[in-house]
Amino acid sequence: MLRIRQFETKLDVLYRQGRVRGPAHLGLGQEAIAVGVAAALGPGDASLGTYRGHAHALARGASEEAVLRELLGRVGGVCGGKGGSMHITSVEHGYYGSYAIVGGHIPTAVGMAWASRIRGDGGVTACFFGDGTTNIGAFHEAVNLAAVWKLPAVFVCENNHYMEYTPIGDVIPVERPAADRAPAYGLEPLVVDGNDVAAVREVARAAVERARRGDGPTLVEATTYRLTGHSVADGGAYRHPDEVSAARARDPLVRLATDLARSGEMTVDQSEALVARVKGEMDALAAHVLAEPAPDAAAAWTGMWSDGSSTWRN
Amino acid sequence: MAQLTFREAVAAALEQEMARDESVVLLGEDVGSGGVFKTTAGLKDRFGAARVWDTPISEQAIAGAAMGAAAAGLRPVAEIMFSDFYATCWDQIANEIAKACYMTGGQLTMPLVVRGTNGGGLGFGAQHSQSVENWAMCIPGIKIVSPSTPDDMWGLLAASIRDDEPVLVFEHKALFGTKAERPTGDHLVGLGEAARRRAGDDVTLVGLARTVGMCEQAADALGGDGVTADVLDLRCLVPLDAAAVLASARRTGRVVIVEENPGQLGWGAGVAAILAEEAFDDLRAPIVRVSGGNVPLPVAAAMEAEVTPSAEKVAAAARGLLEGRIPAATTARA
Ligand SMILES: Cc1ncc(C[n+]2csc(CCOP(=O)(O)OP(=O)(O)O)c2C)c(N)n1
Ligand SMILES: [Mg+2]
């Protein structure tokens, strides 16, 4: 969780230095969800996320260096320079991709869960999306299908209370974007504090077990807050500063450090030293990646088909 | 003279038409706060929440509500934030809106506009960079507007709102920062008329939206070789000013069509077919298209540039035609 925090904090700096091409959506403040759910998944399980997906890839074990190479447009990126920030994918780690069309990946996740059911391989698919995403038809169609077919899926709504610049309350007729819709699909309304990594892991474990047992999907609403703008280009002026500072007080990393200090597992000094060490590692990683060359332009003509080619005619 | 950006031109057109006709209403995601591209900035303050409606992320409902409001006599302007997202509401556009007037025997009309940001060049990746005018061009019953200048952005959007037919207006993301002299007073540019951006006799360069600038730059480069190029900005694909393209082609005998979408089936293919069918005897060289590559758009800068048209590629294609050879690999490398 700390590594992800420091990775994205560094990325924010790099963006401001003009090193990142295109948009990037940070999940600063939301890391406990990615980490807590990933901790409940096994190596044979799949997960899918959104354009706000760096944390989800890293939490599954994707290489920090390969992800950073992708983000900085350097050779050896995890998607070969083709995907960029919004499409970080690491199938080798069970992370089947980041998708930038809101809701578009939820039916895909259902299909992966369906395949697990057909093959009986015991695999579970987790799918992450935002609160605003519960308003698109694809969400409803996908959750309904998973429920009807009792598929081994875990839907995780990261409720950060905003759909871009719009407070979620302005665009849903219920209070809780996912939990209050769950009963319509025969699912339990389930809310967890998404800033409490242990609580997220516990809820996720139960959902994953239920899915593996063949008892069908779970829809989890994890409440959280994004500490920075919708994307790196957004200053977040539509949010009251008091609201943001209150959210900072609930920062999942601060909370974890406090819990660890209280339980005696890690002193405040130890955790501060750890933060400093990881920060230094991210600085070094960035310097290393920045020194690498850009991918070859001609690679743009490769890899549209699975045999590596892109030809469409003879 | 006061300046106007392409971005401000969008709001200027909307403001002009909303002030003129109270049946014009806006809907879309975050339009009230000005939107991600700040193209609707200030409109909610000026016209209020009864005219500017923030929607959930529900593109089918956005497009469908625009259709219903139009059927009921309003002039809705819906925003689909990125034109790539048309895919999520294509039923409403292709099967419902485009066909309503025809299949009801004229009982329904669809005086609506759907606006969407379009095009690449900014590293937004495969799902936020496409130029999709050609998607719409497969569907009879929708007008297609894709401006290249701030002046046209204003005038064509305003005319689209006044038009009694459904119009998709494409706003090229890479043009938002471009500036021109601000038109004075009410501004309107009629749909269906191409604009001549450069006059010349040796080769015709046909562009749309961002590729018009590439054609102009290519024309300037060709001028250095003593070649004059006729640059046509189509501005609309439907209604298409075929007469302007045919007349220019008949005069120059050589045509390069520059389209940002993949060449596999771009709008340029349709224009090229018209030229082949109707101006064949006057052509002195094959019609050539410079297009986007037939791949999804990559993010890394050099890779994206590789599969995107450019002034250099246009000039090279034109030179090839003038030298009497078919330029190699102008469209996608197969
Ligand atoms: C179909 C579609 N519509 C609109 C967008 C533009 N868009 C990107 S993110 C976003 C807000 C999503 O909000 P939420 O689901 O709460 O996720 P968050 O960004 O808060 O993680 C919107 C409207 C999109 N990418 N796809
Ligand atoms: Mg949200």
Side-chain angles (χ1 to χ4, degrees):
Chain A
M1 197 151 94
L2 174 61
R3 296 197 71 84
I4 293 171
R5 166 64 57 91
Q6 291 303 327
F7 181 95
E8 283 208 309
T9 303
K10 182 70 194 177
L11 185 65
D12 200 12
V13 172
L14 291 165
Y15 181 85
R16 273 159 230 301
Q17 294 170 347
R19 307 275 196 186
V20 182
R21 188 158 189 265
H25 305 76
L26 306 179
L28 294 171
Q30 305 187 191
E31 300 91 340
I33 302 170
V35 171
V37 175
L41 296 173
D45 296 329
S47 53
L48 295 83
T50 71
Y51 49 87
R52 201 180 302 290
H54 309 153
H56 294 292
L58 296 172
R60 293 303 307 278
S63 148
E64 287 163 357
E65 178 167 340
V67 173
L68 194 61
R69 283 171 179 266
E70 187 70 27
L71 294 168
L72 298 180
R74 296 304 198 270
V75 69
V78 73
C79 298
K82 291 168 174 160
S85 166
M86 297 204 288
H87 303 297
I88 298 295
T89 301
S90 190
V91 167
E92 127 188 46
H93 298 97
Y95 185 61
Y96 280 78
S98 305
Y99 299 87
I101 305 293
V102 159
H105 64 308
I106 311 178
T108 313
V110 168
M112 296 198 67
W114 179 47
S116 284
R117 193 181 140 178
I118 289 172
R119 288 202 302 249
D121 62 12
V124 172
T125 301
C127 182
F128 301 89
F129 50 87
D131 45 295
T133 302
T134 62
N135 283 328
I136 197 155
F139 162 77
H140 295 273
E141 295 186 25
V143 174
N144 183 65
L145 186 64
V148 169
W149 286 358
K150 279 201 157 192
L151 299 179
V154 180
F155 301 105
V156 184
C157 174
E158 301 187 46
N159 181 6
N160 62 14
H161 306 285
Y162 282 86
M163 159 209 155
E164 280 186 355
Y165 316 148
T166 300
I168 191 64
D170 292 359
V171 285
I172 54 171
V174 289
E175 206 170 303
R176 304 173 302 177
D180 287 341
R181 265 81 170 254
Y185 304 108
L187 303 175
E188 291 296 319
L190 191 58
V191 179
V192 63
D193 179 348
N195 284 8
D196 179 344
V197 69
V200 172
R201 184 180 54 185
E202 195 176 319
V203 165
R205 276 186 180 151
V208 168
E209 269 167 38
R210 175 183 147 87
R212 261 200 245 293
R213 275 199 312 269
D215 290 342
T218 302
L219 174 56
V220 180
E221 179 173 322
T223 51
T224 186
Y225 197 85
R226 64 169 154 71
L227 294 172
T228 50
H230 169 69
S231 78
V232 278
D234 165 33
Y238 45 88
R239 307 193 300 191
H240 196 282
D242 290 351
E243 181 183 305
V244 181
S245 46
R248 288 205 177 278
R250 296 191 306 268
D251 183 324
L253 276 112
V254 173
R255 176 176 189 148
L256 181 62
T258 310
D259 287 352
L260 291 172
R262 197 175 296 138
S263 68
E265 285 165 273
M266 191 181 270
T267 66
V268 173
D269 284 352
Q270 282 172 324
S271 63
E272 279 172 5
L274 186 62
V275 170
R277 197 194 84 209
V278 173
K279 186 174 179 311
E281 287 173 14
M282 294 303 161
D283 289 342
L285 176 66
H288 165 65
V289 169
L290 282 170
E292 293 293 305
D296 185 7
W301 298 108
T302 66
M304 187 168 69
W305 309 124
S306 56
D307 69 0
S309 77
S310 300
T311 39
W312 73 283
R313 52 165 288 186
N314 62 16
Chain B
M1 277 303 277
Q3 297 274 297
L4 173 82
T5 62
F6 195 83
R7 181 192 316 282
E8 291 159 351
V10 177
L14 294 169
E15 186 171 13
Q16 171 183 303
E17 295 309 302
M18 290 177 82
R20 180 181 168 271
D21 178 353
E22 64 180 24
S23 69
V24 178
V25 292
L26 307 189
L27 74 164
E29 294 157 20
D30 281 326
V31 288
S33 60
V36 174
F37 293 97
K38 302 286 168 259
T39 43
T40 52
L43 296 173
K44 193 166 182 181
D45 286 345
R46 163 138 192 218
F47 297 103
R51 304 277 304 279
V52 179
W53 292 71
D54 279 317
T55 68
I57 311 177
S58 305
E59 279 77 7
Q60 293 202 65
I62 294 169
M67 172 171 176
L74 294 182
R75 287 187 180 270
V77 179
E79 176 179 304
I80 299 296
M81 194 180 294
F82 287 76
S83 62
D84 313 67
F85 311 162
Y86 278 128
T88 67
C89 56
W90 203 237
D91 170 56
Q92 296 296 333
I93 291 174
N95 291 330
E96 320 287 351
I97 289 169
K99 295 172 172 59
C101 181
Y102 185 87
M103 75 185 180
T104 64
Q107 297 177 75
L108 289 178
T109 57
M110 289 291 126
L112 64 85
V113 168
V114 189
R115 308 169 30 242
T117 67
N118 195 52
L122 301 174
F124 277 56
Q127 298 183 333
H128 282 68
S129 302
Q130 296 170 92
S131 292
V132 304
E133 295 99 336
N134 61 328
W135 295 4
M137 211 173 172
C138 298
I139 315 287
I142 340 176
K143 293 188 176 180
I144 306 168
V145 169
S146 196
S148 74
T149 66
D151 184 278
D152 277 358
M153 184 65 249
W154 181 340
L156 289 167
L157 176 54
S160 300
I161 295 169
R162 287 190 206 182
D163 202 284
D164 287 335
E165 314 304 339
V167 186
L168 299 195
V169 177
F170 293 89
E171 299 164 8
H172 202 297
K173 294 189 275 297
L175 298 177
F176 277 133
T178 57
K179 275 190 196 143
E181 212 168 88
R182 187 186 176 91
T184 47
D186 262 22
H187 186 51
L188 213 56
V189 174
L191 305 190
E193 224 181 289
R196 170 167 285 114
R197 301 296 181 195
R198 294 277 193 283
D201 300 321
D202 301 316
V203 60
T204 300
L205 308 178
V206 182
L208 184 75
R210 182 161 74 121
T211 71
V212 173
M214 297 171 190
C215 293
E216 290 172 327
Q217 282 176 34
D220 294 344
L222 292 166
D225 307 349
V227 170
T228 65
D230 213 34
V231 175
L232 292 183
D233 175 355
L234 289 180
R235 309 202 281 193
C236 299
L237 294 177
V238 176
L240 180 71
D241 193 352
V245 182
L246 285 162
S248 177
R250 291 194 173 110
R251 213 155 39 71
T252 64
R254 301 179 187 90
V255 184
V256 180
I257 301 168
V258 191
E259 52 184 338
E260 195 173 315
N261 52 224
Q264 207 165 300
L265 193 59
W267 57 260
V271 174
I274 291 173
L275 287 166
E277 288 174 5
E278 299 176 38
F280 186 77
D281 288 342
D282 296 310
L283 294 176
R284 294 151 70 175
I287 304 153
V288 166
R289 291 181 298 142
V290 175
S291 74
N294 294 315
V295 288
L297 280 165
V299 168
M303 287 167 76
E304 187 178 7
E306 171 76 12
V307 295
T308 301
S310 66
E312 295 71 35
K313 292 174 192 173
V314 176
R319 285 194 184 104
L321 290 187
L322 287 152
E323 288 162 13
R325 58 187 164 79
I326 303 173
T330 48
T331 302
R333 290 182 208 174

